[in-house]
């Protein structure tokens, strides 16, 4: 009997297309750099984020390993497994669900990064490492709710680990380094304050979630939630086919992503948009290129089109326009206007208002 807590099906979530797309693109290509989801209370942010893990294929890990080490990829394995490989020791593996780790708001640096037992190291000469949340999140998703209320120092640590794929713990001259390759997902309510522009810029994508205004849509959302609460397994069963179709689409996209190309002319135009919007640094250019390729792969195509860039460019750039911490984040109109001018592409009235 399955004792796992039932999760609301991802394909049953009504609306919030920006947030769903941002999450899908990140699981197709984790190098996009995570996503920051800002929106009103009660708009299904946590539900959607937890639902994405059900769509991901199981991963092969080394048995009894604290870092969910990959059995053959050095970038995704701890030092112990590397030693076993060097010594040609047989490695036992198992398949697990993609880890989904929640970072509590009051977490300390030790809880996040892990700790070294100094006493044992000095008396017995043994490096004993107590893994933190970054170790548990390796090859998975690390979710930080209310990330805008988290201490800036901790946000820095998370972003550094997410960007490098490694976490280093140092204490009294003893150092331990382990893989921490995860998709960082942050969420928050803009009423409680925004992240500093320097930190915000390091999130690959930024999705803005608004409360649904359409009464019929609101009723549909409420009914779906009620049905799930009353009989979760029946609701999961109803969406089983749709979940499987989307799951296969994501698996296929992950496979073809390395073969997806983007023309030089389109790359030039992406950089023109970033330059005209006065985006600092080159992160905006890099992320837009990556996200456009991931979207093309999601649509089972090997070449990026203007339409693919249009779909992702607002998610990639809107949060990079804010230079002053007191400014509000662009709704996307500024990005769309410059994109239309450079790519000679016209947005419909409905698209702009949505």
């Amino acid at each position: 009997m399955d004792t796992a807590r039932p999760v609301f099906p991802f394909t049953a979530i009504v609306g919030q297309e920006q947030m769903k797309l941002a999450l899908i693109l990140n699981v197709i290509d984790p190098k996009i750099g995570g996503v920051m989801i800002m929106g009103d209370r009660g708009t299904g942010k946590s539900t959607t984020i937890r639902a994405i893990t059900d769509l991901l294929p199981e991963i092969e890990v080394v048995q009894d390993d604290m870092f969910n080490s990959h059995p053959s990829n050095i970038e995704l394995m701890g030092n112990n497994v590397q030693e076993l490989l060097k010594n040609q020791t047989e490695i036992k593996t198992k398949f697990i669900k993609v880890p989904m780790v929640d970072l509590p708001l009051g977490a300390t640096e030790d809880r996040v990064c892990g700790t070294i037992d100094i006493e044992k190291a000095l008396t017995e000469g043994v490096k004993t490492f107590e893994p933190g949340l970054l170790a548990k999140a390796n090859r998975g998703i690390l979710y930080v709710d209310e990330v805008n209320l988290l201490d800036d120092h901790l946000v820095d640590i998370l972003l550094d680990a997410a960007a490098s794929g490694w976490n280093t713990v140092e204490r009294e001259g003893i150092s331990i380094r382990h893989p921490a390759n995860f998709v960082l997902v942050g969420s928050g309510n803009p009423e409680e304050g925004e992240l500093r522009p320097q930190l915000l810029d390091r999130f690959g994508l930024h999705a803005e979630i608004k409360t649904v205004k359409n009464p019929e849509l609101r009723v549909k959302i409420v009914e779906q939630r009620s049905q799930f609460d009353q009989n979760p397994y029946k609701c999961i069963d109803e969406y089983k086919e749709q979940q499987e179709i989307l799951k296969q689409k994501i698996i296929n996209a992950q496979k073809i992503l390395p073969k997806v190309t983007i023309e030089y002319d389109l790359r030039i135009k992406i950089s023109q948009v970033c330059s005209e919007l006065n985006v600092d640094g080159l992160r905006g250019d890099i992320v837009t290129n990556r996200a456009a390729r991931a979207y093309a792969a999601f649509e089972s195509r090997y070449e990026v089109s203007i339409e693919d860039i249009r779909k992702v460019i607002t998610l990639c750039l809107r949060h990079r326009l804010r230079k002053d911490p007191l400014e509000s984040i662009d709704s996307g109109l500024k990005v769309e206007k410059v994109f239309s001018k450079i790519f000679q592409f016209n947005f419909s009235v409905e698209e702009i208002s949505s």
Side-chain angles (χ1 to χ4, degrees), residues 174-208:
I174 297 166
S175 175
I176 284 180
R177 186 170 177 260
H178 70 78
N181 205 298
F182 54 85
V183 173
L184 180 62
V185 181
S187 71
N189 182 346
E191 287 175 10
E192 289 158 350
E194 294 276 7
L195 275 178
R196 285 191 289 118
Q198 300 93 311
L199 294 175
L200 204 51
D201 173 62
R202 291 173 64 185
F203 277 92
L205 308 179
H206 184 287
E208 192 176 65

Short mmCIF file of all heavy atoms in Angstrom, two decimals, residues 174-208:
data_model
loop_
_atom_site.label_atom_id
_atom_site.label_comp_id
_atom_site.label_asym_id
_atom_site.label_seq_id
_atom_site.Cartn_x
_atom_site.Cartn_y
_atom_site.Cartn_z
N ILE A 174 39.12 22.57 8.77
CA ILE A 174 38.65 21.33 8.14
C ILE A 174 37.59 21.70 7.11
O ILE A 174 36.69 22.50 7.38
CB ILE A 174 38.07 20.35 9.20
CG1 ILE A 174 39.17 19.95 10.17
CG2 ILE A 174 37.48 19.12 8.54
CD1 ILE A 174 38.67 19.27 11.41
N SER A 175 37.71 21.13 5.92
CA SER A 175 36.81 21.49 4.83
C SER A 175 36.17 20.25 4.20
O SER A 175 36.85 19.24 3.99
CB SER A 175 37.60 22.27 3.77
OG SER A 175 36.80 22.54 2.66
N ILE A 176 34.87 20.35 3.94
CA ILE A 176 34.16 19.27 3.23
C ILE A 176 33.38 19.90 2.09
O ILE A 176 32.71 20.93 2.27
CB ILE A 176 33.23 18.49 4.19
CG1 ILE A 176 34.06 17.56 5.07
CG2 ILE A 176 32.20 17.66 3.40
CD1 ILE A 176 33.31 16.72 6.04
N ARG A 177 33.50 19.29 0.92
CA ARG A 177 32.81 19.81 -0.28
C ARG A 177 31.93 18.70 -0.83
O ARG A 177 32.35 17.55 -0.92
CB ARG A 177 33.86 20.21 -1.31
CG ARG A 177 33.33 20.90 -2.54
CD ARG A 177 34.51 21.45 -3.34
NE ARG A 177 34.10 22.07 -4.59
CZ ARG A 177 34.17 21.49 -5.77
NH1 ARG A 177 34.61 20.24 -5.86
NH2 ARG A 177 33.80 22.12 -6.86
N HIS A 178 30.71 19.04 -1.16
CA HIS A 178 29.81 18.01 -1.71
C HIS A 178 28.92 18.59 -2.80
O HIS A 178 28.69 19.81 -2.84
CB HIS A 178 28.97 17.36 -0.59
CG HIS A 178 27.92 18.28 -0.02
ND1 HIS A 178 26.72 18.53 -0.66
CD2 HIS A 178 27.88 18.98 1.14
CE1 HIS A 178 26.00 19.36 0.08
NE2 HIS A 178 26.67 19.65 1.17
N PRO A 179 28.40 17.76 -3.70
CA PRO A 179 27.54 18.27 -4.77
C PRO A 179 26.22 18.80 -4.21
O PRO A 179 25.66 18.24 -3.27
CB PRO A 179 27.30 17.05 -5.66
CG PRO A 179 27.53 15.87 -4.78
CD PRO A 179 28.55 16.29 -3.78
N ALA A 180 25.76 19.92 -4.76
CA ALA A 180 24.47 20.50 -4.35
C ALA A 180 23.83 21.05 -5.62
O ALA A 180 23.71 22.26 -5.81
CB ALA A 180 24.66 21.60 -3.32
N ASN A 181 23.47 20.13 -6.51
CA ASN A 181 22.93 20.51 -7.81
C ASN A 181 21.42 20.43 -7.76
O ASN A 181 20.85 19.34 -7.81
CB ASN A 181 23.50 19.53 -8.85
CG ASN A 181 23.51 20.15 -10.22
OD1 ASN A 181 22.47 20.49 -10.76
ND2 ASN A 181 24.70 20.27 -10.80
N PHE A 182 20.76 21.55 -7.61
CA PHE A 182 19.30 21.54 -7.42
C PHE A 182 18.65 22.71 -8.15
O PHE A 182 19.32 23.67 -8.53
CB PHE A 182 18.96 21.61 -5.92
CG PHE A 182 19.60 22.78 -5.20
CD1 PHE A 182 19.01 24.03 -5.20
CD2 PHE A 182 20.81 22.62 -4.54
CE1 PHE A 182 19.60 25.11 -4.56
CE2 PHE A 182 21.41 23.69 -3.88
CZ PHE A 182 20.80 24.94 -3.90
N VAL A 183 17.34 22.60 -8.32
CA VAL A 183 16.57 23.72 -8.87
C VAL A 183 16.07 24.52 -7.67
O VAL A 183 15.37 23.99 -6.80
CB VAL A 183 15.36 23.23 -9.71
CG1 VAL A 183 14.48 24.40 -10.12
CG2 VAL A 183 15.84 22.46 -10.93
N LEU A 184 16.46 25.79 -7.60
CA LEU A 184 16.03 26.64 -6.48
C LEU A 184 14.72 27.34 -6.84
O LEU A 184 14.64 28.04 -7.84
CB LEU A 184 17.11 27.68 -6.17
CG LEU A 184 16.79 28.65 -5.02
CD1 LEU A 184 16.62 27.90 -3.70
CD2 LEU A 184 17.89 29.70 -4.88
N VAL A 185 13.70 27.09 -6.03
CA VAL A 185 12.40 27.72 -6.25
C VAL A 185 12.06 28.56 -5.02
O VAL A 185 11.98 28.04 -3.90
CB VAL A 185 11.28 26.67 -6.49
CG1 VAL A 185 9.95 27.36 -6.73
CG2 VAL A 185 11.63 25.78 -7.67
N GLY A 186 11.90 29.85 -5.22
CA GLY A 186 11.53 30.74 -4.13
C GLY A 186 10.14 31.29 -4.38
O GLY A 186 9.74 31.47 -5.53
N SER A 187 9.39 31.50 -3.31
CA SER A 187 8.08 32.15 -3.49
C SER A 187 7.89 33.18 -2.38
O SER A 187 8.55 33.12 -1.35
CB SER A 187 6.95 31.11 -3.46
OG SER A 187 6.76 30.60 -2.16
N GLY A 188 7.00 34.11 -2.63
CA GLY A 188 6.75 35.15 -1.63
C GLY A 188 5.61 36.05 -2.02
O GLY A 188 5.09 35.98 -3.14
N ASN A 189 5.21 36.88 -1.08
CA ASN A 189 4.14 37.84 -1.28
C ASN A 189 4.77 39.22 -1.38
O ASN A 189 5.45 39.67 -0.45
CB ASN A 189 3.18 37.76 -0.08
CG ASN A 189 1.99 38.69 -0.23
OD1 ASN A 189 1.98 39.59 -1.08
ND2 ASN A 189 0.99 38.51 0.59
N PRO A 190 4.58 39.93 -2.52
CA PRO A 190 5.24 41.24 -2.69
C PRO A 190 4.88 42.27 -1.62
O PRO A 190 5.64 43.20 -1.37
CB PRO A 190 4.77 41.71 -4.08
CG PRO A 190 3.63 40.81 -4.46
CD PRO A 190 3.78 39.56 -3.69
N GLU A 191 3.73 42.07 -0.95
CA GLU A 191 3.32 43.01 0.13
C GLU A 191 4.32 42.96 1.28
O GLU A 191 4.43 43.91 2.06
CB GLU A 191 1.94 42.64 0.66
CG GLU A 191 0.81 42.98 -0.29
CD GLU A 191 -0.54 42.50 0.24
OE1 GLU A 191 -0.61 42.08 1.40
OE2 GLU A 191 -1.51 42.54 -0.53
N GLU A 192 5.02 41.83 1.43
CA GLU A 192 5.96 41.67 2.55
C GLU A 192 7.37 42.10 2.16
O GLU A 192 8.33 41.85 2.88
CB GLU A 192 5.95 40.21 3.02
CG GLU A 192 4.66 39.85 3.74
CD GLU A 192 4.38 38.36 3.75
OE1 GLU A 192 5.08 37.61 3.05
OE2 GLU A 192 3.45 37.95 4.47
N GLY A 193 7.50 42.71 0.98
CA GLY A 193 8.80 43.21 0.55
C GLY A 193 9.42 42.35 -0.53
O GLY A 193 9.18 41.16 -0.60
N GLU A 194 10.23 43.01 -1.37
CA GLU A 194 10.92 42.31 -2.47
C GLU A 194 12.35 41.97 -2.03
O GLU A 194 12.87 42.54 -1.08
CB GLU A 194 10.98 43.21 -3.71
CG GLU A 194 9.63 43.52 -4.32
CD GLU A 194 9.16 42.43 -5.28
OE1 GLU A 194 9.83 41.38 -5.36
OE2 GLU A 194 8.13 42.65 -5.92
N LEU A 195 12.96 41.07 -2.76
CA LEU A 195 14.39 40.81 -2.56
C LEU A 195 15.20 41.98 -3.12
O LEU A 195 14.73 42.69 -4.01
CB LEU A 195 14.81 39.54 -3.31
CG LEU A 195 14.61 38.19 -2.66
CD1 LEU A 195 15.05 37.11 -3.62
CD2 LEU A 195 15.38 38.06 -1.37
N ARG A 196 16.41 42.14 -2.61
CA ARG A 196 17.28 43.18 -3.18
C ARG A 196 17.54 42.88 -4.66
O ARG A 196 17.64 41.71 -5.04
CB ARG A 196 18.62 43.20 -2.44
CG ARG A 196 18.55 43.82 -1.07
CD ARG A 196 19.92 44.06 -0.49
NE ARG A 196 20.61 42.83 -0.10
CZ ARG A 196 21.75 42.43 -0.63
NH1 ARG A 196 22.33 43.13 -1.59
NH2 ARG A 196 22.33 41.32 -0.24
N PRO A 197 17.65 43.91 -5.53
CA PRO A 197 17.87 43.68 -6.96
C PRO A 197 19.05 42.76 -7.26
O PRO A 197 19.00 41.94 -8.17
CB PRO A 197 18.12 45.09 -7.52
CG PRO A 197 17.42 46.00 -6.58
CD PRO A 197 17.51 45.35 -5.22
N GLN A 198 20.14 42.87 -6.44
CA GLN A 198 21.34 42.04 -6.68
C GLN A 198 21.03 40.56 -6.49
O GLN A 198 21.57 39.70 -7.18
CB GLN A 198 22.47 42.43 -5.71
CG GLN A 198 22.92 43.87 -5.83
CD GLN A 198 22.18 44.79 -4.87
OE1 GLN A 198 20.96 44.75 -4.78
NE2 GLN A 198 22.92 45.63 -4.17
N LEU A 199 20.16 40.23 -5.51
CA LEU A 199 19.81 38.84 -5.27
C LEU A 199 18.77 38.36 -6.28
O LEU A 199 18.83 37.25 -6.78
CB LEU A 199 19.26 38.67 -3.84
CG LEU A 199 20.26 38.91 -2.70
CD1 LEU A 199 19.56 38.82 -1.35
CD2 LEU A 199 21.41 37.91 -2.75
N LEU A 200 17.83 39.24 -6.58
CA LEU A 200 16.76 38.91 -7.52
C LEU A 200 17.33 38.55 -8.89
O LEU A 200 16.87 37.61 -9.56
CB LEU A 200 15.82 40.11 -7.64
CG LEU A 200 14.39 39.88 -8.09
CD1 LEU A 200 13.71 38.79 -7.27
CD2 LEU A 200 13.60 41.17 -8.00
N ASP A 201 18.37 39.29 -9.30
CA ASP A 201 18.99 39.09 -10.62
C ASP A 201 19.55 37.68 -10.77
O ASP A 201 19.68 37.16 -11.87
CB ASP A 201 20.12 40.13 -10.79
CG ASP A 201 20.93 39.89 -12.05
OD1 ASP A 201 20.34 39.98 -13.14
OD2 ASP A 201 22.14 39.59 -11.95
N ARG A 202 19.87 37.03 -9.64
CA ARG A 202 20.51 35.71 -9.71
C ARG A 202 19.50 34.57 -9.87
O ARG A 202 19.90 33.44 -10.09
CB ARG A 202 21.42 35.53 -8.50
CG ARG A 202 22.63 36.46 -8.59
CD ARG A 202 23.48 36.44 -7.37
NE ARG A 202 24.07 35.13 -7.15
CZ ARG A 202 24.79 34.84 -6.06
NH1 ARG A 202 24.98 35.76 -5.15
NH2 ARG A 202 25.31 33.64 -5.91
N PHE A 203 18.23 34.86 -9.73
CA PHE A 203 17.21 33.86 -10.07
C PHE A 203 17.03 33.87 -11.58
O PHE A 203 16.89 34.93 -12.19
CB PHE A 203 15.87 34.20 -9.41
CG PHE A 203 15.77 33.75 -7.98
CD1 PHE A 203 16.13 34.60 -6.94
CD2 PHE A 203 15.30 32.48 -7.65
CE1 PHE A 203 16.04 34.19 -5.62
CE2 PHE A 203 15.20 32.06 -6.34
CZ PHE A 203 15.57 32.92 -5.32
N GLY A 204 17.03 32.68 -12.18
CA GLY A 204 16.91 32.61 -13.64
C GLY A 204 15.63 33.25 -14.16
O GLY A 204 15.66 34.11 -15.04
N LEU A 205 14.49 32.84 -13.59
CA LEU A 205 13.19 33.32 -14.06
C LEU A 205 12.41 33.98 -12.92
O LEU A 205 12.66 33.70 -11.75
CB LEU A 205 12.37 32.16 -14.64
CG LEU A 205 13.03 31.27 -15.71
CD1 LEU A 205 12.09 30.17 -16.14
CD2 LEU A 205 13.47 32.09 -16.91
N HIS A 206 11.47 34.82 -13.30
CA HIS A 206 10.60 35.48 -12.31
C HIS A 206 9.16 35.42 -12.81
O HIS A 206 8.84 35.96 -13.86
CB HIS A 206 11.03 36.94 -12.12
CG HIS A 206 10.26 37.66 -11.04
ND1 HIS A 206 8.95 38.06 -11.22
CD2 HIS A 206 10.62 38.05 -9.79
CE1 HIS A 206 8.54 38.66 -10.11
NE2 HIS A 206 9.54 38.67 -9.24
N ALA A 207 8.32 34.72 -12.05
CA ALA A 207 6.90 34.62 -12.43
C ALA A 207 6.05 35.42 -11.45
O ALA A 207 6.26 35.36 -10.24
CB ALA A 207 6.46 33.16 -12.43
N GLU A 208 5.12 36.17 -12.01
CA GLU A 208 4.21 36.98 -11.19
C GLU A 208 2.82 36.34 -11.22
O GLU A 208 2.28 36.08 -12.28
CB GLU A 208 4.16 38.40 -11.75
CG GLU A 208 3.48 39.38 -10.81
CD GLU A 208 3.54 40.81 -11.36
OE1 GLU A 208 2.93 41.07 -12.41
OE2 GLU A 208 4.20 41.64 -10.74
#
